[in-house]
Amino acid sequence: MILRGSRRPDTSGRRATRLVRTLTVTASTLAAVGLSVGGTLASAAPVSSRPISYAVSPVASPASPTHLPTVTAAKDVAVIVLDTLTPAVVGPGKDVTITGTVTAPLTGPLSTPELRVVRGEVRVDQRTALDDWASGRTQTAGRTIDVTALPTVGAGQSRAFTTTIPWHQLRSETAFAAVPISVEVVQQGASEPTGRTRTFIAWNGRKEYVPIQVATVLPVTLDPDVDLFSRDDAARQSAWQRAIGPGSRVERIIQGTRSSRADLAVDPSVLGPDTGVDAAPGGPTPSPSTSGTPSGSPAPTSPSTTPPTSPSPSTSTNPPASPSTTSGGRPATASATIAQLGDGIASQLRGRSVWALPYADADLAATVGIDPANSLVRDLVSRASTLTKRLAQPARADVVWPVDGLLPTGREQGIKRLLAATSVKKPAGIVVNAAAVTKVTAYTPSARRVAAGGTRLLAYDPRLSALLPRRTDPSPVLSVQRYLAETLVLLGERAGTPRSVLVAAPRDYDPDPTALAAFLSATSSAPWLETVDAGALLSDHGSDKAVPQTRPATTVASAAPPAVLTARRLTQMAEQRDTLLSVSSVLRDGAEFERTYREVLDELGSARWRYQPASWATLSNSVARDVRAATSAIRVVPRTSTINLLAENGTLRITVENGLDYTVQDIRLRLVPDNPRIRIVEQPAPVTIGPTSRTNVPVEVAAVAAGRAEIRAYLTTADGTVIGSPASIPVSANPLDGAIYWVGGILVGLVLLAGVVRAVVKGTSRVDEIADIEAVTAAHESLGGADERDGDRPA
C-alpha cells in the first residue's frame, strides 16, 4: 500500500509512479555520505544496531542501483534517503522530480509530518562554499520551495515520498549555477526539522562557457587475498571466483563502465596467472599442464597449509579438481577453471580503452625511492605487455600510476631510471594527485601538467575523484549532484578558458555497477562537460597547455596506506628471483618451471598488499619455502664416512641428485679442497640427470701429502652461477713414499748384478774338473767309515 499526504495545488501536472520494494538503511552510513557528497543529518544521534526492514514505494528509475547497503534507523533523528533526482541538470521548462524515503526515529513516530524542499539563500561559487553547505556549517535561512504532506510514520518505520519542484523555483539569473537545496522532514507543530539531507541541483540556463574536458580512469586490480596463490585447488579456485568471477569487484567495475568512455588501467594478472600461452580472442583455454603446477613437481606452498618436508612427487601433486567442468563435460582442474574466468574478463575488456599496469600492479611508488634498479620490479614492468597479447589489442603501458598519487623529489628521475632497463623504456606520463603538484592558486589548474624533468603529468582532482559512487552509498544521487555542483564551480572560475579535469579511482575502489553506470551517464551528459579519453590529456589541446608543477605549501596525504616494501625486502625478492632463474636455466623445460615458481614471487611486489600488510608477510614466508624447496631438490649428496685415498692418484665418485620432475641438463659439478693435501686433477664435464633420479660423477684427484682434507662439492650453471645444495666430502690421504720403491728396486737390481758378475769372474767349479766323481765319492765314504771305526776303539 502506498501512503501519501495532501500537498499544495500542482499546476504542472505532476504525478508519482508507484513501485514497492524493500529497503534497509543506516543512519551512520548516511552521516558519512552527507559529509562527503552533500547530505547531512539534522543532528548527531546514537545509532541503533537493530536492523529494520520495511516496505517503501519510491518512483521507479532505470538507474536505480542493484545494491543498497544495510541501514538502521537512527535513535533521535529522521533519516532521509534520496533515491532519484531527475533530471540531473535543470533548465528552463524542466521541472525536477525527487523520490526517496523517510524513516522515523526509533524513539517515536513522525506524526503527520511535512516534507519540505528548501532552497539555500547562499551563493555557491567556490569549493569551500560547497563544503560549508554540504556539511551544515552554512546556517543561512533558506526559502521553502515545495511542501509535501506525509501520513504518520511509525517509530523505526519508513514511507516513500515523491515531490516535484517547478523549474522556475530553481532558476538562476546566471547562465549556470549550483543551487543548494535541503530536503527536510518536520513534525506537525514543530518549527525545526527532525531530519534533513542537503544536496545541490545543477542549473544550466544558457551556454556561455567553453566546456571542460573530463577524463575518468579506474584501476582494475586484484584484492589482497593470499588464497589466490594457495596450493590447495579448492581454496585457490574459490578465491579466483571471488576475485574475478560473476559479481566480483573486478566485474562490477567493468560492467559499470561498459557504456562510458572511462579508461581502465588493468593489472595483467587479473586475467589469471601467466601461463606462458598467448591466448587469442576466442582461442582455446590453455591446458592444465601449461597453466598450473606440473604434476609431481614441488608446487608452490600455500600460505595456509604446511609445506612439504621434501620435494618428492607424493607431497606435491595437486588434489583432485573442483566440480567445475570443461566444455566437453569432463571435470576441470582449478587451473583450467581460473583460465576460463580470466578469458571471461578478457572478453569484456576487448574493444575498451585500456592501459596496462605493471604485472601484479608492482608498487613503483615504493620501489623507485629505494631501489630503482630492482630486477624483479623491472621485469614486472616489462611484462605489462602480456595484456596486449592476451587482449589482442593495444594497451599502453607507458603511463605510470604510483599508488600513493604523490610526486616527491627524485621520483620522476627514479621512474625514468627504472623504466630505462625495461621494454617500456620511458614514461609517457605519470598519474598524480593534483594537490601534490599544485600550490594554492586563485583557480584550479588544468589536468594537463608537466614535471620539473619534462615528463607529462596527468593530475587528477582528488575532490571529484572522491565522489565516484561506492557500494556503501545508499544511492548515487548525492554523488551525482555534488559532482555536477563541483564542476560548475570549476567552470565558473574561468568559463571562457579551455581546461581539463581528470577523475581517478583508488586501487580499492568498489562500486555498484548500476550506480556507477548511472553516475557516469548523468555526469557525462552535462552540457558543460566534454568527455575524453585520459590519454588525450598527454598532449596539449588548443590553449589548454601543460602547466609546470609547483610545490604545495602543505604536505599532501598519500592516496594509499604505507608501503610494505623495504630495501631489505626488495633485495630479498630480487635474490629469490635470480635463484629461480638460475635453476630454470639448467632445466630442459625451464620456462614451465619458472612460471610455476615465480607466480607467487611476482605477486610480492604488488601494491595491493598495502591494504593488507599482514598478508604480505604470510605470502613471503611461503615464497621463501618454495625457493628453498626448489633449490634444495638439486643437490650434491653428502657423505657421512671418510674416503681413504691410499695412492697418489685416484678417482672419487660424487653422487648428484635431482629431486625435481624436470630433466637437469648441462649442470657443472665443481670441487674445491680446503687444503693443498688434495689436488683436483681435472674438474668433471657437464652432466645431465633425469627427473627424480641421481647419478655418480667420477672426479680424478691427486694426493700431494698425507693427512685429512675436506672437499667442497657444489653445482653451477654454465655461466658459473651456484645453484642447488652443496656438500662436503671428507678425504683421508695416505700415499706411500716413492723413494721406498726406488731404493728397493735398486737393491734388488744390485744383488742380481753381483751374482752375475761373480759367476762370470770366478769361472768353472773344481768339482767339474774331477774325472770320475763317483769313484772319488765312494773312496771318501770308505775312508770316513774307517775313521769312525778307529774312533770307537779304546785309547
Side-chain angles (χ1 to χ4, degrees):
M1 177 177 67
I2 300 177
L3 299 177
R4 184 176 179 184
S6 62
R7 45 175 312 173
R8 291 180 177 180
D10 188 354
T11 58
S12 59
R14 291 170 284 180
R15 62 180 180 177
T17 304
R18 300 180 178 181
L19 174 67
V20 178
R21 66 181 180 181
T22 299
L23 175 67
T24 52
V25 235
T26 66
S28 58
T29 300
L30 290 175
V33 172
L35 292 177
S36 62
V37 300
T40 61
L41 296 176
S43 61
V47 179
S48 170
S49 60
R50 180 173 62 89
I52 296 196
S53 298
Y54 44 84
V56 299
S57 54
V59 173
S61 169
S64 297
T66 57
H67 166 85
L68 294 175
T70 301
V71 191
T72 59
K75 180 180 179 181
D76 299 318
V77 297
V79 177
I80 301 174
V81 177
L82 304 185
D83 288 334
T84 64
L85 192 156
T86 53
V89 179
V90 182
K94 296 180 180 179
D95 295 340
V96 175
T97 299
I98 302 176
T99 69
T101 58
V102 174
T103 303
L106 292 172
T107 54
L110 293 173
S111 300
T112 58
E114 286 185 340
L115 187 81
R116 299 176 181 175
V117 179
V118 178
R119 175 173 176 166
E121 297 296 334
V122 59
R123 184 178 178 84
V124 180
D125 56 0
Q126 294 182 347
R127 303 185 98 172
T128 54
L130 290 168
D131 295 336
D132 291 341
W133 176 260
S135 63
R137 291 193 296 268
T138 301
Q139 300 296 328
T140 305
R143 175 169 55 90
T144 300
I145 58 177
D146 189 79
V147 176
T148 300
L150 297 178
T152 298
V153 183
Q157 299 301 306
S158 63
R159 298 295 180 191
F161 69 84
T162 301
T163 184
T164 302
I165 308 169
W167 69 269
H168 58 80
Q169 297 283 10
L170 300 169
R171 71 175 296 171
S172 172
E173 297 302 323
T174 60
F176 53 88
V179 179
I181 65 168
S182 176
V183 181
E184 304 172 352
V185 60
V186 183
Q187 286 268 33
Q188 183 181 35
S191 58
E192 293 297 323
T194 305
R196 71 159 58 97
T197 293
R198 286 185 169 185
T199 187
F200 305 88
I201 290 181
W203 168 264
N204 182 55
R206 55 190 180 275
K207 183 177 180 180
E208 294 181 358
Y209 47 75
V210 174
I212 298 175
Q213 288 191 332
V214 179
T216 303
V217 58
L218 291 84
V220 179
T221 59
L222 292 174
D223 293 324
D225 185 354
V226 293
D227 283 343
L228 290 170
F229 318 104
S230 172
R231 67 175 301 183
D232 179 81
D233 275 8
R236 187 172 70 256
Q237 179 172 308
S238 177
W240 280 98
Q241 287 278 5
R242 294 191 303 270
I244 63 174
S248 64
R249 185 178 68 87
V250 166
E251 190 186 58
R252 289 196 297 272
I253 293 175
I254 297 174
Q255 289 292 329
T257 57
R258 182 172 52 185
S259 300
S260 71
R261 293 191 64 181
D263 295 89
L264 299 178
V266 181
D267 168 9
S269 68
V270 163
L271 304 182
D274 184 7
T275 64
V277 178
D278 296 338
T285 300
S287 65
S289 63
T290 62
S291 59
T293 303
S295 176
S297 65
T301 59
S302 166
S304 58
T305 58
T306 303
T309 56
S310 67
S312 63
S314 61
T315 62
S316 58
T317 304
N318 285 333
S322 68
S324 300
T325 57
T326 62
S327 58
R330 300 184 305 275
T333 65
S335 297
T337 301
I338 294 168
Q340 291 170 357
L341 292 173
D343 289 343
I345 295 296
S347 66
Q348 296 181 62
L349 290 173
R350 292 190 181 105
R352 303 284 301 274
S353 178
V354 174
W355 293 355
L357 293 171
Y359 192 87
D361 190 19
D363 195 342
L364 303 188
T367 304
V368 297
I370 300 173
D371 183 15
N374 186 271
S375 57
L376 183 141
V377 176
R378 280 180 167 173
D379 181 65
L380 295 179
V381 172
S382 293
R383 289 172 62 195
S385 61
T386 60
L387 185 64
T388 296
K389 297 178 181 178
R390 188 71 181 272
L391 300 182
Q393 72 176 44
R396 68 181 311 159
D398 55 356
V399 179
V400 179
W401 189 351
V403 66
D404 59 7
L406 304 179
L407 194 68
T409 303
R411 176 169 290 185
E412 179 191 7
Q413 294 304 319
I415 290 175
K416 288 181 177 180
R417 181 183 173 191
L418 188 146
L419 265 60
T422 70
S423 60
V424 177
K425 300 303 181 184
K426 63 180 181 180
I430 303 174
V431 178
V432 62
N433 185 338
V437 292
T438 308
K439 65 180 181 181
V440 178
T441 58
Y443 64 93
T444 306
S446 173
R448 291 181 166 92
R449 312 295 285 277
V450 61
T455 305
R456 294 296 293 249
L457 301 178
L458 299 179
Y460 65 83
D461 189 297
R463 294 170 62 99
L464 290 177
S465 299
L467 296 175
L468 288 167
R470 291 179 175 267
R471 294 185 81 201
T472 52
D473 298 342
S475 78
V477 171
L478 297 180
S479 297
V480 170
Q481 298 308 127
R482 178 64 182 268
Y483 183 98
L484 294 175
E486 290 271 356
T487 56
L488 283 171
V489 171
L490 290 179
L491 183 68
E493 291 178 349
R494 305 183 83 180
T497 303
R499 300 164 69 195
S500 54
V501 171
L502 177 64
V503 177
R507 293 299 204 276
D508 62 346
Y509 180 57
D510 187 8
D512 171 77
T514 307
L516 177 58
F519 176 92
L520 294 174
S521 175
T523 55
S524 63
S525 63
W528 61 90
L529 299 177
E530 177 189 353
T531 306
V532 298
D533 292 333
L537 304 182
L538 292 171
S539 57
D540 295 336
H541 176 70
S543 61
D544 184 16
K545 300 183 181 299
V547 179
Q549 74 169 100
T550 54
R551 187 179 298 277
T554 58
T555 302
V556 178
S558 169
V564 297
L565 297 181
T566 62
R568 181 182 62 82
R569 288 175 170 180
L570 281 169
T571 300
Q572 173 184 305
M573 289 159 50
E575 290 173 349
Q576 290 172 332
R577 173 184 179 274
D578 292 342
T579 298
L580 292 177
L581 287 175
S582 298
V583 174
S584 66
S585 68
V586 298
L587 300 180
R588 183 165 294 171
D589 195 358
E592 181 181 351
F593 171 88
E594 180 184 346
R595 287 193 301 272
T596 300
Y597 284 91
R598 284 184 54 197
E599 175 185 338
V600 184
L601 177 59
D602 290 341
E603 298 297 334
L604 285 177
S606 177
R608 76 178 69 101
W609 305 114
R610 287 176 177 249
Y611 300 90
Q612 202 170 105
S615 295
W616 188 96
T618 302
L619 197 62
S620 177
N621 291 335
S622 74
V623 169
R625 292 193 297 266
D626 292 343
V627 173
R628 285 195 299 269
T631 55
S632 62
I634 305 174
R635 65 180 188 132
V636 178
V637 179
R639 290 185 61 95
T640 56
S641 59
T642 302
I643 298 177
N644 291 313
L645 186 61
L646 301 178
E648 285 189 347
N649 293 280
T651 300
L652 302 182
R653 296 194 175 275
I654 310 299
T655 302
V656 179
E657 182 180 62
N658 172 24
L660 298 174
D661 264 11
Y662 303 86
T663 298
V664 173
Q665 58 185 12
D666 294 334
I667 195 171
R668 272 74 169 169
L669 174 64
R670 293 294 177 259
L671 295 96
V672 179
D674 66 346
N675 63 61
R677 292 189 182 96
I678 299 294
R679 180 174 60 86
I680 306 302
V681 176
E682 184 179 4
Q683 296 287 358
V687 297
T688 296
I689 314 172
T692 59
S693 61
R694 57 174 58 186
T695 187
N696 291 323
V697 181
V699 183
E700 297 295 327
V701 299
V704 178
R708 295 181 62 83
E710 293 281 340
I711 299 178
R712 179 175 177 269
Y714 60 94
L715 302 168
T716 73
T717 62
D719 62 2
T721 303
V722 178
I723 63 170
S725 300
S728 292
I729 310 298
V731 177
S732 178
N734 297 288
L736 296 177
D737 195 342
I740 296 176
Y741 295 102
W742 282 106
V743 172
I746 292 173
L747 290 175
V748 172
L750 289 174
V751 170
L752 293 176
L753 180 61
V756 173
V757 171
R758 182 173 180 276
V760 172
V761 171
K762 291 185 176 182
T764 305
S765 172
R766 291 179 178 177
V767 175
D768 295 335
E769 296 176 354
I770 301 176
D772 192 354
I773 186 61
E774 294 180 357
V776 173
T777 301
H780 177 72
E781 290 178 349
S782 62
L783 289 175
D787 292 338
E788 291 177 355
R789 289 193 299 270
D790 292 342
D792 293 335
R793 295 175 181 175

